[in-house]
Amino acid sequence: MMKPNLLCAATLLLLAACGSEQQANLANFSKGMNTYLAKRGDLCLAKNSWPIDVTPAEGSGGSRNALQMPVLEKLGLVASSAATVEHSDEAGNPSTLQVRRYQLTDSGKRFYLAREAHAQAPNNPYAAAGHDLCALKLSLDKVIGWETPTAQNKGAAAVVVTYTYKVAPAPWTSDADVRRVFPVVDSLIRGAGVMQLKEPFVLTGTGWQAQDL
């Protein structure tokens, strides 16, 4: 039978171990960032719904898809064909419209990844999408610091963690045209180990967790 003083000591150690998960410290925020980036570290291109049609107006206007899709096609990630779609003018009169239709190739499908919906962006169709075409994966380099914990509206403690990251880019992101038409991809690759990013955290019953999980 455990002696009373040993029982008390064991209880105190258990409580200390449980309480350590609640502390705002480097170990807990590093653990939380690793968990967050393992789940949310993919940088995707907001191309979740296929096929993607580019209209003549988009082509002449230099829309995002009009600039980006030919680059992805050059790299073999998508293939295009001519297509006809139903269209209505401002008065509601129906007509047909010739578009350039892009589909993922087998090579492109390798980077069309399943994703869980983001908890903090319910009205964002890209954040809620179940899949997206993704270009690189971030992982934790190191936690730089965090704000002093403050109370949220619901009473939970919250901080913003600052960190640097490592990056594992898809092979095709080395292409100069990809870097040009996807500037965020270029910026994140160049910033690996240097650029400081921020992530909001909240204190839960099991410890510190990224708000977006």
Side-chain angles (χ1 to χ4, degrees):
M1 182 175 181
M2 186 178 291
K3 295 181 180 180
N5 61 330
L6 294 178
L7 179 60
C8 290
T11 301
L12 289 172
L13 287 172
L14 179 60
L15 290 173
C18 293
S20 67
E21 298 293 325
Q22 313 290 318
Q23 293 177 5
N25 60 35
L26 180 62
N28 286 337
F29 289 132
S30 296
K31 177 182 177 182
M33 280 305 314
N34 280 320
T35 299
Y36 172 75
L37 291 174
K39 190 172 184 180
R40 294 276 189 242
D42 292 302
L43 176 73
C44 301
L45 305 179
K47 300 193 185 302
N48 55 289
S49 182
W50 296 84
I52 292 176
D53 293 339
V54 176
T55 67
E58 288 178 298
S60 60
S63 72
R64 180 169 61 89
N65 280 333
L67 294 174
Q68 295 172 348
M69 299 308 294
V71 173
L72 297 179
E73 183 171 31
K74 179 192 75 170
L75 297 172
L77 300 174
V78 303
S80 71
S81 61
T84 302
V85 297
E86 297 297 323
H87 172 72
S88 296
D89 61 22
E90 294 180 357
N93 300 313
S95 62
T96 58
L97 184 66
Q98 297 297 316
V99 299
R100 198 70 190 168
R101 175 163 291 173
Y102 293 87
Q103 296 270 22
L104 285 171
T105 63
D106 288 341
S107 294
K109 289 176 183 177
R110 293 173 48 209
F111 304 96
Y112 189 58
L113 306 182
R115 310 189 328 157
E116 292 187 29
H118 289 238
Q120 300 301 314
N123 297 318
N124 184 331
Y126 296 114
H131 290 75
D132 207 337
L133 184 65
C134 302
L136 53 87
K137 176 80 171 182
L138 301 184
S139 59
L140 182 64
D141 176 37
K142 60 184 176 182
V143 170
I144 301 298
W146 56 90
E147 299 174 357
T148 301
T150 58
Q152 287 186 311
N153 293 335
K154 297 181 180 180
V159 301
V160 175
V161 174
T162 302
Y163 66 99
T164 55
Y165 60 90
K166 302 174 185 177
V167 64
W172 45 269
T173 60
S174 61
D175 182 85
D177 286 332
V178 169
R179 300 291 192 92
R180 174 177 56 83
V181 300
F182 295 101
V184 174
V185 171
D186 181 61
S187 178
L188 284 174
I189 292 175
R190 291 177 182 275
V194 178
M195 184 187 297
Q196 295 185 6
L197 303 180
K198 296 182 180 293
E199 188 63 38
F201 270 66
V202 293
L203 184 59
T204 71
T206 57
W208 289 97
Q209 176 179 292
Q211 185 173 298
D212 194 31
L213 293 183

